[in-house]
Amino acid sequence: MSIIFSKSCEYALQAVLYLARQPEGSRKHLREIASDLNIPYHFLNKVLQTLTRGGIVVSRKGANGGFALARSPKEITLIDIVRAVDGESSLDGCVLGFPACGEQTPCPVHDQWKRAKEVILTMLQKKTLAELGKGLDGKLELIAQSLSAGKEG
Amino acid sequence: MSIIFSKSCEYALQAVLYLARQPEGSRKHLREIASDLNIPYHFLNKVLQTLTRGGIVVSRKGANGGFALARSPKEITLIDIVRAVDGESSLDGCVLGFPACGEQTPCPVHDQWKRAKEVILTMLQKKTLAELGKGLDGKLELIAQSLSAGKEG
DNA sequence: CGAGTATCAGACTGATTTATCCGAAGTATA
DNA sequence: TATACTTCGGATAAATCAGTCTGATACTCG
């Protein structure tokens, strides 16, 4: 299982990254997203509902329906998705679980964890979806390929 | 819930840190550890059994029994405990959940996550229990105090 | 309007994690 | 040997997470 993020959150991040790479104004069907990213259809359904309620994506029912980003990929960072899915405080709390850990009574790794957290937060909020998407032109396809290859084998 | 570590692992880290602060050669009862650290007795029981099997602590049954570190606090780092409880590969895998993420086909945050992972690994293996314990003389007691105060209030 | 399509919403199942309980087994002391 | 004490280990329950299913709702187009 993943570190840091729940499965729901992983799927959400993948799906949003996927939508960010679509031409602006277009919509993608749940069916297509799930199949391309190899995510269980019904599970992704719920995740996308959460993202819709969270204002990250917009949805449209019926024929010609589907999902699209609610805002431009230039205005969304990964932390927005994490907050919408795993909640606001998923990065708070003492990493060793001491309930009273804080600046006055720090746990043995308090300062070091603080530094690690900063690196993680930077990772999540420094770049927009647009910038992240650019860096991997063609790579998502490669990932998807090796992915489905692994499924068949 | 915690990032990175399971509840079992958190408890294990707390308990081992606690044992590292006891005079060498002494033993502590499960009852006392659980009460001091405010950890569910029966659950900590299981965790300490795991640590015993993992060679982190030694146990002794019966009167005058209890738990103690298997080695000197100078020879144990936190990563040893994490490995014994959460398993070897708890820090592996793509943080976004892409199964095919790697050096050839990196996910959008692959390099940044790599850096974060290094910071975390350093945190876990750079200092020994002895060094970690020294830094917080008296502080664990403070933590425990505010902890039980919170329980009563 | 009616048919077809696609998301929405909630209930449901299964797996894993967390937490609890209790009898068995080992140890010290008298 | 008897007794008290403490960990060991398996069974079980509760809670959370992951994944599945189904009917309702909303939209498009003929």
Side-chain angles (χ1 to χ4, degrees):
Chain A
M1 119 213 40
S2 157
I3 347 252
I4 299 197
F5 302 132
S6 67
K7 212 76 187 165
S8 296
C9 193
E10 281 184 6
Y11 291 158
L13 290 166
Q14 292 184 28
V16 169
L17 238 17
Y18 176 94
L19 288 176
R21 288 176 48 75
Q22 308 306 321
E24 284 205 46
S26 75
R27 270 183 294 276
K28 278 285 181 180
H29 291 156
L30 166 59
R31 191 186 338 107
E32 202 171 354
I33 308 174
S35 143
D36 282 357
L37 294 176
N38 221 268
I39 298 174
Y41 178 93
H42 295 284
F43 196 10
L44 182 58
N45 186 3
K46 296 183 88 164
V47 172
L48 282 173
Q49 279 177 43
T50 304
L51 289 177
T52 304
R53 278 192 294 270
I56 306 290
V57 307
V58 287
S59 66
R60 195 151 135 191
K61 294 181 182 178
N64 244 327
F67 294 92
L69 293 184
R71 287 166 287 158
S72 159
K74 295 175 189 164
E75 300 168 14
I76 307 180
T77 64
L78 295 183
I79 194 79
D80 299 327
I81 289 92
V82 174
R83 289 219 180 91
V85 176
D86 274 359
E88 192 64 39
S89 62
S90 65
L91 277 177
D92 294 347
C94 172
V95 74
L96 297 186
F98 286 109
C101 174
E103 293 302 327
Q104 273 90 36
T105 56
C107 81
V109 296
H110 184 76
D111 291 335
Q112 294 159 82
W113 173 239
K114 203 162 130 187
R115 217 170 309 141
K117 220 160 38 176
E118 278 164 16
V119 176
I120 295 172
L121 276 177
T122 301
M123 166 180 98
L124 293 178
Q125 63 190 180
K126 194 169 189 182
K127 295 195 175 178
T128 67
L129 291 188
E131 293 167 319
L132 289 172
K134 259 183 213 151
L136 54 90
D137 273 324
K139 286 181 184 168
L140 254 186
E141 282 72 13
L142 276 176
I143 292 180
Q145 274 174 29
S146 50
L147 208 158
S148 48
K151 206 175 56 168
E152 291 162 10
Chain B
M1 116 214 42
S2 156
I3 349 250
I4 300 197
F5 302 132
S6 67
K7 211 80 185 160
S8 295
C9 193
E10 282 185 6
Y11 291 159
L13 290 166
Q14 291 183 27
V16 168
L17 238 17
Y18 176 95
L19 287 176
R21 289 176 45 76
Q22 308 307 319
E24 283 204 45
S26 74
R27 270 183 294 276
K28 277 286 183 181
H29 292 157
L30 165 60
R31 191 186 336 110
E32 201 172 355
I33 307 174
S35 143
D36 282 357
L37 294 175
N38 222 271
I39 297 174
Y41 178 93
H42 293 99
F43 195 13
L44 183 58
N45 187 2
K46 294 290 185 202
V47 173
L48 283 173
Q49 278 177 42
T50 303
L51 289 177
T52 303
R53 278 193 292 270
I56 306 290
V57 306
V58 287
S59 66
R60 196 152 134 189
K61 296 180 181 177
N64 243 327
F67 294 92
L69 292 184
R71 289 166 285 158
S72 158
K74 294 175 190 163
E75 300 168 14
I76 308 180
T77 65
L78 295 183
I79 194 78
D80 299 327
I81 289 92
V82 174
R83 288 217 181 93
V85 176
D86 274 359
E88 193 64 38
S89 62
S90 63
L91 277 177
D92 294 347
C94 172
V95 73
L96 297 186
F98 286 110
C101 174
E103 293 303 327
Q104 272 90 36
T105 56
C107 79
V109 296
H110 184 77
D111 292 334
Q112 294 158 83
W113 172 239
K114 204 162 129 187
R115 215 170 311 140
K117 219 158 42 174
E118 278 163 17
V119 175
I120 294 171
L121 275 177
T122 301
M123 167 180 96
L124 293 178
Q125 62 190 179
K126 195 168 188 181
K127 293 196 176 180
T128 67
L129 290 188
E131 292 167 322
L132 289 173
K134 259 183 209 150
L136 55 90
D137 275 322
K139 285 180 185 169
L140 255 185
E141 282 72 12
L142 276 176
I143 292 180
Q145 275 174 29
S146 50
L147 209 159
S148 48
K151 205 175 55 169
E152 291 162 9

